Amino acid sequence: MMKKQTVKSIDLQPTLENEQIALYPLQDGDFDVLYAVASDQEIWRQHPNKDRWKKEVFQTFFEGAMQSKGAFKILDKTSEMTVGSTRFYDYDPEDKSIFIGYTFYATSCWGKGVNPQVKAIMLDYIFQFIERVNFHIGAENIRSQIAIARLGATKVAEQEVTYFGESSKLNFVYEVKKTSWQNVGNR
């Protein structure tokens, strides 16, 4: 008798954490605390959607995050402050791939190692299930392009991306493969 092969199901909104950072599944009640972070215009200066700091524009972004069923609120465990959001999206079981993106952080976190920690937590988790993670990075978002390259991601394509309720914008597609992530020794 052959054993039936079981496929692990992926929970796209688990609670993920390390000593300093926690990612909690985004809830409807998180809008105000997240908008308090997102209302800083500087966050969106290099982003393709530069007016996301406006409450009505951020409301659309938040609705898309909730509908994605893969979005997180990011908490700094030391200060117990919400410092941003990110999400898993576009899971493709046939291709064994997924995207991580729609990420933003409070400017107070910039340059403090929060982004590499968040991405490491997410990559360590999701690579239990898939072989490749992709990232959409705005063509003008030099800060994010540098940050994702530091994690070992390589640019593999350019693509027009239509964000939920917003117009399409040119993005670069970066990729991290499970095999290369496992070989990174400095995490």
Side-chain angles (χ1 to χ4, degrees):
M1 177 192 289
M2 291 188 64
K3 289 186 178 181
K4 185 177 178 181
Q5 185 177 11
T6 58
V7 177
K8 289 183 181 179
S9 64
I10 302 176
D11 179 357
L12 294 181
Q13 278 187 304
T15 296
L16 301 171
E17 60 187 304
N18 66 16
E19 298 77 32
Q20 297 173 323
I21 303 293
L23 281 66
Y24 294 111
L26 192 65
Q27 305 292 315
D28 284 324
D30 293 330
F31 178 83
D32 289 335
V33 70
L34 207 53
Y35 179 66
V37 175
S39 63
D40 181 346
Q41 290 183 44
E42 184 62 25
I43 291 171
W44 309 105
R45 191 170 309 279
Q46 290 187 23
H47 194 273
N49 303 83
K50 297 179 185 342
D51 62 349
R52 206 172 272 159
W53 61 271
K54 296 177 182 174
K55 194 169 191 172
E56 65 278 5
V57 177
F58 186 76
Q59 180 67 49
T60 300
F61 172 85
F62 188 84
E63 288 170 15
M66 291 301 299
Q67 287 183 26
S68 78
K69 300 194 184 321
F72 298 92
K73 173 177 73 171
I74 303 167
L75 186 81
D76 176 329
K77 290 167 64 173
T78 306
S79 67
E80 297 187 10
M81 299 290 295
T82 296
V83 296
S85 181
T86 191
R87 70 178 92 154
F88 290 120
Y89 65 102
D90 287 356
Y91 169 55
D92 184 340
E94 299 292 318
D95 191 44
K96 298 181 183 170
S97 67
I98 199 164
F99 277 82
I100 293 176
Y102 292 89
T103 307
F104 69 91
Y105 301 103
T107 55
S108 63
C109 295
W110 291 5
K112 304 252 176 25
V114 172
N115 184 54
Q117 287 185 64
V118 168
K119 295 301 191 295
I121 294 167
M122 295 177 81
L123 289 168
D124 286 345
Y125 169 74
I126 204 66
F127 277 137
Q128 297 174 72
F129 309 99
I130 54 114
E131 299 297 320
R132 189 175 70 247
V133 173
N134 296 304
F135 304 84
H136 286 121
I137 308 287
E140 297 176 16
N141 194 338
I142 304 304
R143 176 182 288 111
S144 292
Q145 292 170 30
I146 291 168
I148 205 67
R150 285 181 180 155
L151 291 174
T154 55
K155 182 181 170 188
V156 295
E158 295 184 8
Q159 180 181 21
E160 287 287 324
V161 176
T162 303
Y163 294 93
F164 180 86
E166 298 175 342
S167 62
S168 69
K169 305 288 181 177
L170 179 63
N171 279 247
F172 297 156
V173 179
Y174 284 79
E175 171 185 88
V176 174
K177 292 182 179 175
K178 180 178 183 174
T179 53
S180 63
W181 182 249
Q182 291 171 335
N183 293 328
V184 174
N186 61 355
R187 288 184 298 118

